[in-house]
Amino acid sequence: MQSNVISSRHTIQQQVVIADGKLKDLPSKDVNRRLLKALLEYAPTTEGKEVIASDIIAASEEEDGLTQLARFYTTGLILPLKGGGRTPQVSFHSSQDIEIKSTADDIAVDLEAAKRDQTLKEQTLHRDGYRCVVTRRPEESTISLCPDFDPRGGAFNTIAAHILPFSLMSIDNNKALFKKATIWAVIESFTNIKFAELSGDNFNSLTNVITLDGGVHHFFGQLKVWFEAVSDKPTTYIFRKSKEYLLGDIVNDGDKVTFASVDPHLYPLPDRRYLTLHAAVAKVVHMAGMAEYLDDLTREYENIRVLSDESHAEYLDGLLRIAQRSALVTTSQDEK
């Protein structure tokens, strides 16, 4: 049995090496190459790494296949995990053989049930000690519950922040159902997180929510800060910032954050897999130098949302190509 596991591990490692070699078909400064290489490196599970490697190998056999694959993961994984705004239509690639296990009807029922819980902030604050888990700044509305509150340090507004963004469970119309089903299929192939475990009211489970103050929440949603798991300490993480100046000296890159709960059974801690998925995607964006590109893409998307679905899909395809070329030019200039 052990030999089979080792053999399988070697096979996956070999696939990764082959896939990495296939990426050399793209220019070294190409944003698509950087994106796929980062996905290959930061996939949070062995299965996810195998899926990425297999996709790269298959896509490399097709004309413009790697570029199309990068676009698929940009619209099917990266952008959906970026909080705020709407999610562009998923671009498909022929190398993908995704099994969408949930029917549109199933998802429609679950999406309808997934609504924001009015008591969510209260429960999250209670678990997290009425403070932001990163800055330790207290929530203004509950300072009476903070025995060590120091007025000189101030009180702030905090947010019950979803780790996996609420937009994953919201729809604008029936046409969005298939898009969300596809996105969840990509998430399931990249991780071991299943749609069923977060469907309906489960999306508002405390396992998917943390208390953050406004600034941290903004950058967390933008994939510019993340929590990097400490392997031998299941409740401890290293707080990472894509740029040192983010949040000033309120919190430093590399600071340790340890989650705790007054009662882990009634108030469960954040799910490590959700934080790991968020961190993986954030690191992909950071390593690939895609932050400004994604900001531009989502900003442009909001400007064209009034278009019809057909025109929007065509426009977005062109926008992706333009944005990727812009990112390539920007990177080339930065490296000079």
Side-chain angles (χ1 to χ4, degrees):
M1 179 67 178
Q2 185 176 3
S3 61
N4 290 337
V5 173
I6 294 175
S7 176
S8 175
R9 189 180 304 145
H10 284 170
T11 301
I12 294 172
Q13 290 174 346
Q14 290 168 356
Q15 280 188 301
V16 170
V17 171
I18 294 171
D20 189 58
K22 296 293 185 182
L23 293 178
K24 294 179 181 178
D25 293 342
L26 295 173
S28 61
K29 297 177 182 178
D30 191 318
V31 68
N32 299 306
R33 174 176 173 172
R34 296 199 309 270
L35 169 63
L36 294 173
K37 186 176 181 65
L39 284 168
L40 196 60
E41 179 173 349
Y42 293 119
T45 65
T46 301
E47 294 80 5
K49 196 177 290 288
E50 183 178 17
V51 168
I52 299 294
S54 298
D55 285 348
I56 290 173
I57 294 170
S60 67
E61 302 300 321
E62 302 177 18
E63 183 179 357
D64 204 32
L66 291 174
T67 297
Q68 296 293 332
L69 182 63
R71 184 181 305 169
F72 173 84
Y73 276 109
T74 298
T75 55
L77 178 66
I78 306 297
L79 283 171
L81 266 293
K82 188 173 184 287
R86 290 152 51 109
T87 302
Q89 190 70 30
V90 178
S91 296
F92 291 94
H93 184 265
S94 58
S95 72
Q96 292 294 322
D97 184 19
I98 293 179
E99 179 184 358
I100 301 176
K101 300 177 182 178
S102 301
T103 67
D105 288 341
D106 292 334
I107 294 178
V109 172
D110 286 325
L111 291 176
E112 180 64 25
K115 53 186 180 295
R116 292 188 183 274
D117 189 341
Q118 295 302 313
T119 64
L120 188 60
K121 181 173 180 177
E122 178 183 341
Q123 294 173 349
T124 310
L125 277 169
H126 183 62
R127 182 197 64 191
D128 295 336
Y130 303 98
R131 298 173 181 273
C132 169
V133 297
V134 177
T135 65
R136 305 308 299 162
R137 288 173 161 182
E139 160 66 30
E140 187 276 332
S141 66
T142 56
I143 54 175
S144 62
L145 299 173
C146 297
D148 58 347
F149 171 66
D150 183 352
R152 294 172 298 179
F156 302 84
N157 176 57
T158 63
I159 297 167
H162 286 85
I163 300 169
L164 302 185
F166 194 81
S167 58
L168 287 176
M169 306 300 289
S170 62
I171 56 173
D172 301 314
N173 51 58
N174 290 335
K175 292 183 179 180
L177 287 174
F178 185 75
K179 179 179 73 171
K180 290 298 169 67
T182 304
I183 289 170
W184 272 101
V186 176
I187 290 174
E188 288 186 15
S189 69
F190 191 63
T191 68
N192 58 355
I193 300 170
K194 307 296 183 184
F195 173 83
E197 68 184 81
L198 280 168
S199 61
D201 289 335
N202 291 336
F203 203 79
N204 285 328
S205 165
L206 291 182
T207 59
N208 188 40
V209 184
I210 50 179
T211 301
L212 299 176
D213 73 22
V216 180
H217 173 255
H218 172 76
F219 292 123
F220 182 80
Q222 296 297 305
L223 301 174
K224 294 179 180 178
V225 301
W226 60 91
F227 297 87
E228 193 172 276
V230 176
S231 59
D232 59 341
K233 297 180 179 179
T235 62
T236 300
Y237 299 79
I238 304 298
F239 185 74
R240 294 298 187 190
K241 302 193 289 185
S242 59
K243 297 182 184 298
E244 184 59 41
Y245 60 74
L246 296 179
L247 302 170
D249 58 1
I250 297 173
V251 58
N252 298 313
D253 179 62
D255 282 355
K256 285 188 177 181
V257 175
T258 298
F259 291 98
S261 174
V262 292
D263 186 333
H265 296 290
L266 290 177
Y267 302 93
L269 292 174
D271 193 305
R272 194 174 180 86
R273 296 170 304 149
Y274 305 161
L275 287 168
T276 299
L277 170 58
H278 176 274
V281 174
K283 286 188 282 189
V284 166
V285 170
H286 180 52
M287 177 180 171
M290 295 179 65
E292 291 184 6
Y293 153 60
L294 293 179
D295 288 343
D296 290 342
L297 182 59
T298 50
R299 187 161 44 246
E300 290 291 338
Y301 179 78
E302 288 300 316
N303 291 336
I304 63 170
R305 59 191 296 182
V306 296
L307 297 178
S308 66
D309 289 342
E310 291 77 11
S311 297
H312 159 68
E314 294 173 356
Y315 187 93
L316 183 60
D317 280 340
L319 179 61
L320 278 164
R321 289 192 292 271
I322 293 171
Q324 287 169 335
R325 285 200 297 270
S326 298
L328 176 58
V329 171
T330 301
T331 303
S332 300
Q333 292 174 343
D334 290 342
E335 293 181 355
K336 289 182 179 180

